[in-house]
Structures are given as structure tokens and as C-alpha cells.
Amino acid sequence: MKLNEYLEQLKRYDDTEQALERAIAVVREQRREYINQHNLNKVNDNAEET
């Protein structure tokens, strides 16, 4: 492989990593909203009281 090919492959890895990081951020936000919508953030508190 030539240096140019190595750099192109490295850019593809970087692009893939950035896309995955954006996807993780979206999923985390969706999870947070789901927890809030269903009051799941209070489940552990209630479980400890009983």
C-alpha cells in the first residue's frame, strides 16, 4: 500500500467512528426521553422504599 492509501483508509475509519459516535448520542437521548416519559427514573427509589 502507498501512503495515500493508508491515509484514505484512516479517513474511512475516522468517518465511521464519527458516525457511530453520533448514533450513540442519538440512542442515549432516546433512552433518556423514554425513561422520563415512563417515570422510570423513579423506579429504583420506589423499590428501595418497599
Side-chain angles (χ1 to χ4, degrees), residues 2-46:
K2 296 177 183 175
L3 180 59
N4 229 15
E5 292 170 351
Y6 289 134
L7 295 175
E8 288 173 13
Q9 180 61 43
L10 185 58
K11 171 115 175 58
R12 286 192 292 270
Y13 283 129
D14 290 344
D15 292 345
T16 300
E17 183 179 19
Q18 288 175 0
L20 291 169
E21 287 172 348
R22 285 191 300 271
I24 288 170
V26 168
V27 170
R28 285 183 176 151
E29 178 63 18
Q30 290 171 340
R31 182 182 185 274
R32 186 191 66 77
E33 289 177 4
Y34 184 84
I35 288 169
N36 289 339
Q37 287 171 1
H38 298 283
N39 295 319
L40 297 174
N41 52 344
K42 299 177 184 175
V43 170
N44 287 337
D45 292 342
N46 293 337

